Amino acid sequence: MLHAGRGGGEPIGIAMQNRPVRPGLSVPLEEALNELEEGFAVFDAEFRLLAWNRRFLELHDLPAALAFPGADYESFVRCFAERGDYGPGDPAALVRGRMAGARRAERIQIELAKPMDRVIEAVGRPLASGGYLSTCADVTARRNRAVQLEAQVEERTRALRLSEERLALIADEVPAGIAHFDNELRILYANRRFARAYHRSPAEMIGLHATEVLSARTLGESARYFEQARRGALVDFEMRVELPDGRFKDIRTLLRPERPSSGEVIGFYLLSIDVTRRKAAMAALMGAQKMDALGRMASGISHDFNNLLTVILGNLLPLAEEIGEGELNREFLAPAIAAARRGSALTQRLLTLARREQFAPEPTDIPGAVAEICTLLRASMPRKLVIGTESAAEVPPALVDRSQLEMALLNLAMNARDATGGAGRIGIAIEPYDLPPQEADLLYLPAGRYVRLRFSDDGCGMSPEQVERIFEPFFTSKAAGAGSGLGLSMVYGFVKQSNGAIMVDSAPGKGTSFTILLPSVELAALPPTPLALPAPEPAPEEESPPLLLLVEDDRDVRRTLRRKIAALGHPLIEADSADEAKLLIQRIGAIAVVISDIDMPGTLDGFGLARWLAAERPGTGVVLMSGKAGLAGQAAAELPGLPILRKPFTDAALAAALATARAQARAPQQAGRD
């Protein structure tokens, strides 16, 4: 270390003097001091220069002539002031101020801006011996690093603030209440929705204890769940919560423990979702499902029941006419006839009550409807049951009743849930499909544009015997009490009512896939099969009744109808199926009118027979009849202008229908003669 005393001895200048080195100070030492990165200058108690190194002059950009043994410290200060190193101000005043501070032995530290953006840090400090030491160093790199670090800190602080604001915005906008509790059940954070439920702001919630927010009833029921979360468990539960205004809400709550790096639970997070509307919707959905099941059941039994009523009324009415007015008629026959008619009306009321509204098809965006029902399904299905959907581009709208479509999807999902045991995958794929004529004939559908919906699961699958009966009402492969057997029957009914088709592909252990074809709006807008005939003309009174073919699979009903038709003067022959009727029509060319039941066994039903007659024998009149309200309505929609009889029907209704059919039979013949 170089220093100088107050008296005698020659001052020492380092590196800037071309003279012999003072004895005791070696040349290597001088060279070493000149190689230092830091510059220094040492002054005695009178502020005269004793020693310095080359770096001191370089960093301060000082001329070599300014530094010599005995140079006054004030000369250096004056140079700095005049150059503006000390900033703006009168140079003389700046010199006086700096010198006064040095004489008071004050430590001075300043940063000086140099050309080319260099920064020099200069420090002046008194020495214990009474001298004064001035050091300087180039701190440009350090200052740049500090500036960069400060900018990085500022940028990260800004990013963190934006992230916090974004998270706060998300937390306030999500449809759930969010809160953060410590282990003492004091609230550390609450989002807007959670606070609003208790008529407070988020800021007002901070610091409150759970007992100050939750009702005693709610806290009592949820205390055990809170305790589980404080012990580190993941807790999900659902309960009815009492709010401050006396309202009750069904709330699903998720509790997640907070574990810092130490691993010790110090609190928990709470997320609560209002499921009141969803539960009400599910309850309404289940109610609608039960009512629809009742309607399906009523529709299923109405055919047989109305067939029975047809037989009963068909025998009681002629008997009443035969007996005439009298005590026997009033006491026995009239009440029986009235009861039979009330039975028919009761069936219709049951159907009306169960369905409440008519089937209302409308153009429906199938991918959109599926997406909506899947949102509900994902919230209500087990977590391990994954529901995936995919939709092709440009899927055309389909003409369906949207509410019944959603009910059908719900029933399929419930069936898949049971088949997978609540753990697996459900896939729903939607795409446009052009049904070719060959396939359309097999499905009894018109060829054209459809929407194909595939609903698949990876569950247990079904045997061929189960697949064959899967759409039968009340058939179920589940354990006793586990299912009503009506869900898939309802799906089948919806598809058929929508004029579509449904196919099943399943095998044990391979899962199940349902393929549903729904007619596009474009296809539904096409004109129906040309069965509509010209308006009937009244038959001449002198014309003899034509030969009539009665097609009915129920022998008792057929016997009753035969008597009614014969009473109207028609010669007739009978068939117990549409297949047999087709053969008779081909062999007997004199058959002019066909009256047929719709729902019959065999490869051909009443609809198929009517279409075949329209194509092969357009001069034949057709009357369709059914005891099922749905089939009768479908016939009226699909075959406009065709006489439709709903069992049981009166003799007058039968006579009017046959007259219309006879007029329709004459129309093509008259057109041919013209």
Side-chain angles (χ1 to χ4, degrees):
M1 175 178 178
L2 294 177
H3 63 280
R6 292 180 180 272
E10 184 180 6
I12 301 171
I14 300 175
M16 303 306 294
Q17 307 298 318
N18 294 319
R19 61 185 182 82
V21 179
R22 177 183 175 184
L25 185 63
S26 65
V27 173
L29 179 57
E30 291 187 34
E31 293 177 352
L33 292 173
N34 282 325
E35 294 298 325
L36 293 176
E37 288 295 325
E38 188 179 65
F40 75 89
V42 181
F43 298 88
D44 63 14
E46 302 300 328
F47 292 97
R48 294 188 298 270
L49 182 62
L50 296 176
W52 69 96
N53 69 348
R54 183 171 57 219
R55 189 64 172 160
F56 180 81
L57 300 177
E58 291 175 349
L59 291 177
H60 281 303
D61 295 325
L62 295 173
L66 193 63
F68 55 87
D72 191 2
Y73 174 66
E74 186 174 346
S75 64
F76 292 93
V77 174
R78 184 178 298 106
C79 180
F80 294 149
E82 291 175 350
R83 287 194 318 196
D85 288 351
Y86 296 143
D90 178 44
L94 292 173
V95 170
R96 287 194 298 272
R98 295 291 175 177
M99 291 304 297
R103 291 188 182 96
R104 289 194 300 269
E106 292 179 353
R107 186 179 187 277
I108 301 173
Q109 180 173 346
I110 61 172
E111 288 187 353
L112 305 175
K114 297 295 183 179
M116 301 181 66
D117 296 327
R118 289 190 308 127
V119 178
I120 303 300
E121 182 182 66
V123 179
R125 59 177 71 85
L127 297 174
S129 60
Y132 196 77
L133 174 64
S134 177
T135 61
C136 58
D138 189 339
V139 295
T140 305
R142 186 179 69 187
R143 176 58 55 199
N144 290 341
R145 286 195 298 271
V147 171
Q148 292 175 358
L149 180 60
E150 183 178 350
Q152 291 175 357
V153 171
E154 183 179 353
E155 177 63 24
R156 291 181 181 179
T157 302
R158 188 180 67 84
L160 180 60
R161 184 170 61 253
L162 290 176
S163 177
E164 290 177 348
E165 292 174 355
R166 190 180 300 115
L167 289 176
L169 177 63
I170 294 172
D172 283 335
E173 294 300 326
V174 295
I178 301 174
H180 183 196
F181 286 82
D182 64 14
N183 266 340
E184 301 301 323
L185 295 185
R186 293 198 175 276
I187 298 175
L188 305 177
Y189 167 81
N191 75 339
R192 187 183 305 156
R193 185 177 290 265
F194 185 87
R196 189 168 55 209
Y198 296 97
H199 299 180
R200 289 183 169 94
S201 67
E204 292 172 339
M205 298 290 286
I206 307 258
L208 294 180
H209 194 272
T211 55
E212 301 177 79
V213 178
L214 304 178
S215 68
R217 176 181 175 275
T218 301
L219 189 60
E221 293 184 11
S222 57
R224 57 193 177 102
Y225 301 116
F226 290 166
E227 184 59 30
Q228 292 174 15
R230 289 197 295 180
R231 294 180 180 179
L234 305 179
V235 184
D236 296 355
F237 64 95
E238 192 171 302
M239 63 178 290
R240 179 161 284 241
V241 173
E242 182 180 1
L243 298 177
D245 56 5
R247 292 180 302 146
F248 286 87
K249 293 278 189 179
D250 292 309
I251 302 295
R252 183 183 178 190
T253 302
L254 290 78
L255 304 179
R256 296 296 181 263
E258 179 189 15
R259 288 188 179 93
S261 57
S262 63
E264 180 184 358
V265 178
I266 61 173
F268 60 89
Y269 296 94
L270 177 148
L271 186 143
S272 58
I273 304 170
D274 186 353
V275 296
T276 306
R277 292 184 179 179
R278 181 175 65 83
K279 291 190 70 173
M282 288 298 296
L285 199 60
M286 294 303 296
Q289 186 176 9
K290 291 179 181 178
M291 294 302 293
D292 195 63
L294 179 61
R296 300 287 181 188
M297 181 179 66
S299 179
I301 68 173
S302 65
H303 179 265
D304 293 335
F305 187 61
N306 284 326
N307 275 345
L308 293 175
L309 292 175
T310 299
V311 174
I312 293 171
L313 289 173
N315 286 278
L316 290 180
L317 289 172
L319 181 59
E321 293 175 0
E322 184 71 23
I323 293 176
E325 295 294 334
E327 187 67 21
L328 183 62
N329 193 329
R330 289 192 300 271
E331 290 293 329
F332 297 99
L333 292 180
I337 292 170
R341 286 174 172 162
R342 285 198 301 272
S344 178
L346 178 62
T347 303
Q348 180 59 34
R349 286 199 300 271
L350 183 61
L351 289 169
T352 303
L353 173 65
R355 296 191 181 277
R356 295 192 179 183
E357 59 184 10
Q358 297 297 319
F359 179 70
E362 59 182 0
T364 301
D365 175 19
I366 301 299
V370 170
E372 287 189 16
I373 192 66
C374 283
T375 301
L376 175 62
L377 291 174
R378 290 188 181 98
S380 57
M381 289 290 180
R383 291 184 179 180
K384 294 183 179 180
L385 185 59
V386 179
I387 301 176
T389 61
E390 58 178 305
S391 176
E394 299 180 357
V395 175
L399 196 65
V400 298
D401 186 320
R402 181 170 181 141
S403 62
Q404 292 199 25
L405 169 65
E406 293 174 349
M407 177 68 72
L409 291 174
L410 177 62
N411 281 318
L412 288 173
M414 295 300 180
N415 193 69
R417 179 200 62 187
D418 296 337
T420 59
R425 189 179 189 281
I426 292 175
I428 305 176
I430 309 161
E431 61 183 354
Y433 182 67
D434 291 318
L435 184 66
Q438 299 83 355
E439 188 178 350
D441 290 341
L442 294 175
L443 297 174
Y444 296 99
L445 293 176
R449 191 79 161 169
Y450 286 78
V451 176
R452 182 163 63 184
L453 189 152
R454 295 183 185 274
F455 191 105
S456 59
D457 65 68
D458 57 359
C460 59
M462 296 177 289
S463 66
E465 293 77 16
Q466 291 173 327
V467 171
E468 187 176 350
R469 301 185 58 194
I470 190 148
F471 295 122
E472 291 180 12
F474 306 107
F475 172 77
T476 178
S477 58
K478 302 170 187 175
S484 65
L486 291 172
L488 293 179
S489 299
M490 294 167 63
V491 175
Y492 180 84
F494 156 72
V495 174
K496 289 300 181 182
Q497 202 168 19
S498 301
N499 299 321
I502 182 169
M503 291 76 74
V504 186
D505 183 20
S506 183
K510 302 294 185 181
T512 301
S513 176
F514 293 87
T515 301
I516 298 174
L517 294 179
L518 299 173
S520 67
V521 172
E522 174 187 352
L523 178 67
L526 295 176
T529 305
L531 289 177
L533 300 173
E537 297 179 1
E541 294 183 2
E542 66 275 13
E543 182 182 353
S544 60
L547 179 62
L548 186 146
L549 172 61
L550 171 62
V551 189
E552 170 61 62
D553 61 304
D554 190 301
R555 183 171 55 185
D556 293 333
V557 174
R558 193 167 65 247
R559 183 185 303 116
T560 301
L561 293 176
R562 180 178 63 215
R563 186 169 61 245
K564 287 176 174 288
I565 294 170
L568 295 174
H570 281 275
L572 78 156
I573 55 177
E574 303 174 23
D576 61 5
S577 70
D579 295 320
E580 182 184 357
K582 183 177 177 181
L583 294 175
L584 288 173
I585 294 169
Q586 290 172 334
R587 294 174 183 175
I588 304 173
I591 296 175
V593 177
V594 175
I595 177 170
S596 173
D597 191 20
I598 296 176
D599 190 15
M600 289 182 295
T603 61
L604 206 62
D605 59 6
F607 289 132
L609 181 60
R611 293 192 180 98
W612 180 81
L613 285 168
E616 301 295 331
R617 298 284 295 273
T620 304
V622 179
V623 177
L624 292 180
M625 54 186 178
S626 178
K628 289 186 178 180
L631 287 178
Q634 183 180 350
E638 292 186 6
L639 307 172
L642 206 66
I644 308 296
L645 291 172
R646 284 197 51 192
K647 298 175 182 177
F649 45 83
T650 64
D651 293 348
L654 175 61
L658 292 177
T660 301
R662 289 167 61 184
Q664 292 174 343
R666 287 194 301 272
Q669 299 172 2
Q670 182 65 35
R673 288 194 295 270
D674 294 343

